[in-house]
């Protein structure tokens, strides 16, 4: 069997050049499956999570088709729209489009909340080739006709299951209703709950389905340790661990935004340079924290699950689960922040008595029994509690909704 190569896709030379410069020598499985389908104009249903190379899997076919067909777009319109659940992920997707589209002369606009909208409106005024954004601000600009999508040829919904978790479905339905019937669409999701399958059915026309290993697999390169510990002793244990110089770049996960702030403050009090990263911070503050973490200025990022989605920083030596997540898939996602690009990594879990059911669920999902670094594993496993909604999500759900989308001619998907 011959191996798929990027050259075999027939990309424009500028795209091939950018792929070489980025060190992309061989397509990942999701790319090998989704790129030919995308280039052939087919819709794609991708079951894959961050880290599989899914961004390039949808970005490259769009760029290639745009390279071959350089249309000028009308004011405030876009030819491609990519929706992502978090600002960080949107930023990364936009960067990937810019990286591989360099030299194609395309106009890319990032439309996310947490920063002023005027700059975004100005960038839209001459029309865009590619818009990448989060649903709230996208609908906001659609409402004021500063973003018009009725001529959009390419639509991508990324991390659809997270969109559902975050309560973005009403916004997504509004966006989909305003898209033209004639378009190429792709939907990517790590999991396929019933509501996402239904959404995919309405959105995609005869899609090519590409599925990459489930969320349950943890890379073998990650050593997984657990400390059985009282909740009140976690703070000191974290400080003690972080004194070890092998923790060169660490992400500490808490379950709540308030918890992230508190732990970051406690670390700063112990003279450990740490920054919080969560959804209550403005976009500029989040981006600053991420940049400082990337540059090494900040050694420890204290993050919630939602803010951590899509963080792609190389050289994260350790992930500390200060509190275990109540959804076992979140654990897999968290520890995947380390051991990126073939490196090795260490995942540390702090488990107090109330968290034992979560630990059991995680070990059941991953099939890996964590190494006990301190404390004693209780002899009898307790029955797992039913997973609860993430506390930060519950808060979000009671927020009043934005007014209905009023602009544009709504069309059925
Ligand atoms: P993604 O799942 O799109 O977030 O990609 C995860 C990481 O893998 C990113 O840092 C990408 O730049 C990188 N990546 C994606 N595709 C390839 C490839 N074919 N070769 C090397 N690195 C890749």
């Amino acid at each position: 069997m011959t191996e798929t190569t990027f050259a075999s896709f027939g990309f424009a030379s500028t795209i091939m050049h950018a792929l070489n410069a980025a060190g992309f020598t061989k397509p990942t499985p999701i790319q090998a499956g989704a790129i030919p389908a995308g280039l052939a104009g087919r819709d794609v249903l991708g079951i894959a999570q961050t880290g599989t190379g899914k961004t390039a899997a949808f970005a490259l076919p769009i760029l290639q088709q745009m390279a071959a067909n350089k249309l000028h777009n009308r004011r405030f319109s876009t030819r491609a729209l990519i929706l992502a659940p978090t600002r960080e992920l949107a930023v990364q997707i936009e960067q990937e489009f810019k990286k591989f589209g360099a030299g194609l002369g395309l106009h890319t606009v990032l439309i996310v909340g947490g920063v002023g909208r005027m700059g975004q409106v100005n960038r839209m005024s001459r029309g865009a080739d590619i818009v990448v954004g989060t649903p709230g601000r996208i609908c906001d600009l659609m409402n004021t006709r500063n973003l018009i999508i009725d001529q959009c040829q390419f639509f991508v919904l990324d991390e659809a299951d997270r969109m559902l978790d975050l309560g973005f479905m009403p916004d997504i339905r509004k966006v989909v209703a305003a898209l033209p019937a004639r378009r190429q669409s792709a939907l990517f999701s790590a999991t396929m709950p019933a509501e996402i399958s239904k959404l995919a059915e309405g959105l995609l026309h005869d899609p090519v389905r590409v599925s990459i290993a489930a969320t349950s697999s943890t890379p073998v390169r990650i050593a997984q340790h657990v400390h059985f510990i009282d909740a009140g002793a976690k703070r000191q244990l974290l400080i003690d661990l972080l004194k070890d110089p092998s923790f060169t770049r660490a992400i500490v996960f808490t379950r709540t935004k308030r918890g992230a702030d508190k732990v970051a403050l406690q670390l700063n009090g112990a003279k450990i340079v740490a920054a919080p990263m969560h959804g209550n911070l403005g976009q500029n503050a989040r981006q600053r924290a991420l940049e400082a973490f990337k540059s090494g200025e900040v050694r420890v990022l204290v993050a919630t699950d939602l803010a951590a989605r899509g963080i792609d920083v190389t050289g994260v030596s350790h992930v500390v689960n200060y509190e275990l997540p109540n959804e076992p898939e979140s654990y897999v996602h968290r520890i995947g922040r380390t051991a990126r690009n073939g490196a090795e990594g260490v995942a540390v879990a702090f488990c107090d008595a109330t968290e034992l059911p979560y630990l059991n669920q995680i070990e059941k999902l991953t099939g890996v029994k964590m190494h006990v670094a301190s404390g004693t594993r209780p002899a009898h496993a307790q029955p797992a509690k039913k997973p609860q909604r993430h506390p930060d999500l519950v808060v979000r759900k009671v927020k009043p909704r934005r007014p209905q989308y009023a602009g544009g001619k709504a069309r059925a998907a």
Side-chain angles (χ1 to χ4, degrees):
M1 209 174 84
T2 52
E3 206 178 62
T4 315
T5 59
F6 282 114
S8 68
F9 297 135
F11 286 132
S13 59
T14 49
I15 296 179
M16 279 311 292
H17 188 72
L19 282 166
N20 287 333
F24 282 29
T25 47
K26 188 170 146 264
T28 64
I30 188 90
Q31 291 162 0
I35 291 174
L39 289 174
R42 297 281 304 271
D43 284 0
V44 170
L45 174 62
I47 322 279
Q49 54 182 330
T50 303
T52 53
K54 67 183 166 58
T55 315
F58 62 73
L60 293 171
I62 294 177
L63 288 169
Q64 172 64 23
Q65 292 181 78
M66 284 191 172
N69 177 14
K70 285 189 182 139
L71 278 180
H72 218 72
N73 218 358
R74 71 182 156 117
R75 280 168 68 74
F76 297 109
S77 271
T78 185
R79 297 165 68 191
L81 175 63
I82 324 298
L83 284 188
T86 66
R87 299 162 195 170
E88 282 73 19
L89 187 60
V91 169
Q92 278 177 30
I93 293 171
E94 196 227 5
Q95 285 169 349
E96 200 116 327
F97 267 101
K98 281 185 165 160
K99 184 163 72 183
F100 297 122
L104 294 178
L106 301 173
H107 182 47
T108 305
V109 183
L110 179 71
I111 298 185
V112 296
V115 289
R117 70 198 291 290
M118 259 336 274
Q120 297 169 358
V121 169
N122 287 340
R123 286 182 65 73
M124 278 312 300
S125 63
R126 66 176 164 107
D129 293 294
I130 298 151
V131 167
V132 184
T134 46
R137 182 59 67 85
I138 290 283
C139 282
D140 182 4
L141 261 65
M142 281 168 61
N143 280 338
T144 53
R145 305 276 301 158
N146 293 119
L147 170 63
I148 301 168
I149 61 169
D150 62 3
Q151 289 185 349
C152 188
Q153 299 157 7
F154 305 97
F155 176 66
V156 180
L157 191 62
D158 198 13
E159 304 215 341
D161 50 354
R162 277 288 133 176
M163 299 271 197
L164 178 67
D165 286 350
L166 292 170
F168 284 141
M169 275 308 144
D171 285 343
I172 287 167
R173 286 196 197 99
K174 275 179 238 164
V175 172
V176 172
L179 287 167
R182 219 179 123 82
R183 58 167 195 258
Q184 187 181 358
S185 309
L187 182 148
F188 285 81
S189 193
T191 57
M192 268 290 148
E195 201 167 340
I196 298 297
S197 299
K198 222 170 104 201
L199 179 76
E201 256 171 54
L203 179 69
L204 306 172
H205 173 70
D206 187 23
V208 174
R209 194 184 160 102
V210 189
S211 179
I212 301 303
T215 47
S216 61
S217 55
T218 52
V220 285
R221 301 184 309 275
I222 305 178
Q224 300 182 55
H225 302 294
V226 57
H227 294 262
F228 291 102
I229 184 174
D230 289 339
K234 286 185 176 183
R235 170 185 171 174
Q236 194 54 47
L237 176 63
L238 179 64
I239 293 171
D240 290 345
L241 287 179
L242 289 172
K243 282 185 184 149
D244 180 343
S246 72
F247 281 66
T248 49
R249 190 172 282 169
I251 305 180
V252 176
F253 281 97
T254 60
R255 285 187 60 215
T256 64
K257 300 168 195 167
R258 197 141 28 110
D261 280 335
K262 201 168 114 190
V263 171
L265 269 179
Q266 288 168 348
L267 292 178
N268 288 334
K271 302 211 173 353
I272 294 166
V273 187
M277 172 92 173
H278 56 67
N280 278 2
L281 297 172
Q283 181 56 19
N284 288 337
R286 276 159 71 165
Q287 208 54 41
R288 259 202 316 275
L290 197 58
E291 291 306 322
F293 183 60
K294 272 188 192 166
S295 72
E297 199 185 315
V298 161
R299 185 159 68 102
V300 184
L301 203 61
V302 188
T304 57
D305 287 300
L306 300 184
R309 275 209 82 88
I311 292 183
D312 181 25
V313 177
T314 39
V316 173
S317 61
H318 292 75
V319 167
V320 180
N321 291 277
Y322 191 83
E323 286 148 339
L324 285 174
N326 51 14
E327 292 165 342
E329 291 82 6
S330 295
Y331 172 84
V332 179
H333 186 74
R334 284 180 179 189
I335 75 168
R337 305 300 97 206
T338 179
R340 293 184 87 73
N341 298 329
E344 301 208 334
V346 181
V348 182
F350 291 0
C351 180
D352 68 33
T354 66
E355 294 170 306
L356 279 171
Y358 303 148
L359 183 76
N360 293 338
Q361 284 172 339
I362 291 166
E363 291 187 333
K364 194 165 156 220
L365 177 77
T366 61
V368 175
K369 256 217 159 7
M370 294 182 209
H371 164 256
V372 180
S374 72
T376 317
R377 185 184 285 271
H380 297 291
Q382 298 172 10
K385 273 194 241 166
K386 202 168 170 276
Q388 300 152 356
R389 298 282 303 168
H390 189 286
D392 289 343
L393 295 180
V394 175
V395 174
R396 191 183 164 91
K397 278 210 126 176
V398 297
K399 274 191 186 165
R401 305 287 325 156
R402 218 169 287 103
Q404 292 286 304
Y405 171 61
K409 210 163 45 169
R411 292 183 205 184

